[in-house]
Amino acid sequence: MIAGFDEREGFAAFLLRLRGKGAVPKPLIAAFEATPRPAFISGQFHSIAWTDRMLPIECGEAMEGADLQAAVITALNIEPGHRVLEIGTGSGFTAAVMARLAARVVTVDRYKTLIELAKQRFEALGITNAFARHADGSNGLVNEGPFDRIIVWAAFDALPRFLLDQLSSGGSVIAPIGPEEGEQVLAKLIKVGSRFEREDIGTVRFQPILPGVAAII
């Protein structure tokens, strides 16, 4: 729950920014409020936890700004019965938020350290329907689908059509698409029969998706 003064103030400012961009679903606000963002980052960044700044985390990675995370989770339109796949666990924060909206969240990352920390954070918060896996997510998670929603926090250089095979009918995937250098388009793909409909949400700058898992960390 929202605890310290700085965090309450930061969270209030975050909500104001979200509402300034349009209507915010009440379940989403409740999910964010119930997930203490500072618990997912180093203490030196607690005062700016709810800003839209990218924040450093372990393994040389970074956590996306709160506003972008909220925009993506809003666009996913997660419903209570949904199964969600997240590729790129990072700190575990977005998986924790989505777990409060969905039936089940499976999150994968190539870094074992990030997976172990995410598991510890889920357990500390009493989240029992989010499952962190140390795995190569560059091809999705073939044996665990179908999923109703898929979110990818790394960029593909071309449309990831193979992820549509892991979606349920009417399901959707959000992924950055574009070159390694420069901006990428954040695209939402909705599965309609054997094809998909595409809606571009905005532009982002993400690291390219990497195959395999990290050998040591």
Side-chain angles (χ1 to χ4, degrees), residues 163-182:
L163 288 179
L164 294 172
D165 296 332
Q166 299 175 40
L167 280 176
S168 60
S169 179
S172 60
V173 53
I174 293 180
I177 302 169
E180 180 176 338
E181 300 294 335

Side-chain angles (χ1 to χ4, degrees), residues 20-39:
K21 297 170 185 174
V24 186
K26 287 184 179 179
L28 183 65
I29 293 175
F32 272 106
E33 189 169 16
T35 310
R37 191 170 168 86

Side-chain angles (χ1 to χ4, degrees), residues 21 52 64-73 153 186 203-204 206:
K21 297 170 185 174
D52 200 30
E64 296 77 18
D67 296 30
L68 176 60
Q69 291 177 329
V72 170
I73 296 173
W153 297 106
L186 190 60
T203 56
V204 292
F206 280 179

Side-chain angles (χ1 to χ4, degrees), residues 1 15 23 38 44 49 52 67 69 74 77 81 83 98 112 133 135 150 156 161-162 166 176-179 191:
M1 295 296 177
L15 281 187
Q44 69 198 82
D52 200 30
D67 296 30
Q69 291 177 329
T74 299
N77 193 27
R83 289 166 49 91
M98 293 189 296
K112 185 176 181 180
R133 306 272 169 81
I150 300 175
F156 293 99
R161 295 178 184 274
F162 61 89
Q166 299 175 40
I177 302 169
K191 185 173 182 177

